[in-house]
Amino acid sequence: MTKFKLTLVFLLVATITFAQKSPRKQATGKIGQVSLTVDYGAPSVNGRTIWGELVPYNKVWRAGANENTTVRFSKEVTIKNTTVPAGKYGLFLIPSEEGEWIVIFSKKNDAWGSNGYNEENDLLRIKLRANTAAKSTEQMTFSIDKDNGILFNWDKVLLLIPVQ
């Protein structure tokens, strides 16, 4: 094979390998004196039915695409009356069609999606009610609300994780 053909094959493989349909994104901000970072793969709706199909109800989901979604706190925080030490945590969700969703902060932050999830690593589990957004958000997002916490938004779901 010529050097030119080898270069083309390499470029093709590199393009396929590194072009992600769900790019890595980060949401950063501060709540009081605490810096927060949410690192996640941001999938898009792409005409799919998200809740109950792509993301099943009542099953642990990695709260994003590809690698584990993680949350890093620079200092100790309080989440629903529970103290969470400074550090980096895996973030998982258990969506519910009706009722409250479960938000999980895991001590294991380097899993590949929910395949590496193990309840024994849970630092904190909380129940929260998801809200319905007025309009659909195509690409999943996390943002930091300096007064309230971490906001998750995808399709027509809004979920606020309270952080103090």
Side-chain angles (χ1 to χ4, degrees):
M1 202 179 270
T2 68
K3 195 174 193 178
F4 177 74
K5 287 182 181 176
L6 284 173
T7 301
L8 283 177
V9 168
F10 173 78
L11 289 173
L12 178 62
V13 169
T15 300
I16 291 169
T17 302
F18 295 109
Q20 292 185 4
K21 291 181 181 180
S22 301
R24 286 309 283 181
K25 293 198 171 196
Q26 283 192 340
T28 59
K30 282 189 138 190
I31 297 177
Q33 297 299 311
V34 179
S35 296
L36 282 78
T37 301
V38 182
D39 185 77
Y40 63 101
S44 294
V45 174
N46 284 334
R48 302 176 290 185
T49 300
I50 303 303
W51 308 111
E53 288 190 21
L54 181 67
V55 178
Y57 290 120
N58 306 313
K59 291 192 178 184
V60 173
W61 175 57
R62 62 184 152 197
N66 305 320
E67 293 176 55
N68 211 62
T69 295
T70 61
V71 179
R72 182 184 303 269
F73 303 109
S74 66
K75 296 180 180 179
E76 181 179 280
V77 297
T78 301
I79 300 175
K80 288 202 75 169
N81 300 320
T82 300
T83 300
V84 176
K88 182 178 175 182
Y89 302 95
L91 179 66
F92 297 92
L93 299 175
I94 301 177
S96 175
E97 186 172 14
E98 296 178 17
E100 296 175 310
W101 288 33
I102 297 172
V103 178
I104 303 165
F105 288 88
S106 174
K107 293 176 274 188
K108 182 165 176 55
N109 62 43
D110 60 353
W112 179 262
S114 53
N115 294 334
Y117 172 76
N118 185 330
E119 191 172 346
E120 291 177 7
N121 295 316
D122 287 2
L123 174 74
L124 173 65
R125 275 181 171 235
I126 58 173
K127 291 183 179 184
L128 298 171
R129 182 152 307 275
N131 294 302
T132 302
K135 67 176 201 159
S136 182
T137 299
E138 176 64 24
Q139 189 173 55
M140 190 188 85
T141 62
F142 281 93
S143 57
I144 309 301
D145 179 319
K146 67 183 178 95
D147 296 319
N148 297 301
I150 301 167
L151 183 63
F152 168 82
N153 188 358
W154 192 28
D155 193 17
K156 285 199 164 198
V157 169
L158 291 169
L159 184 69
L160 177 66
I161 303 167
V163 178
Q164 299 175 328

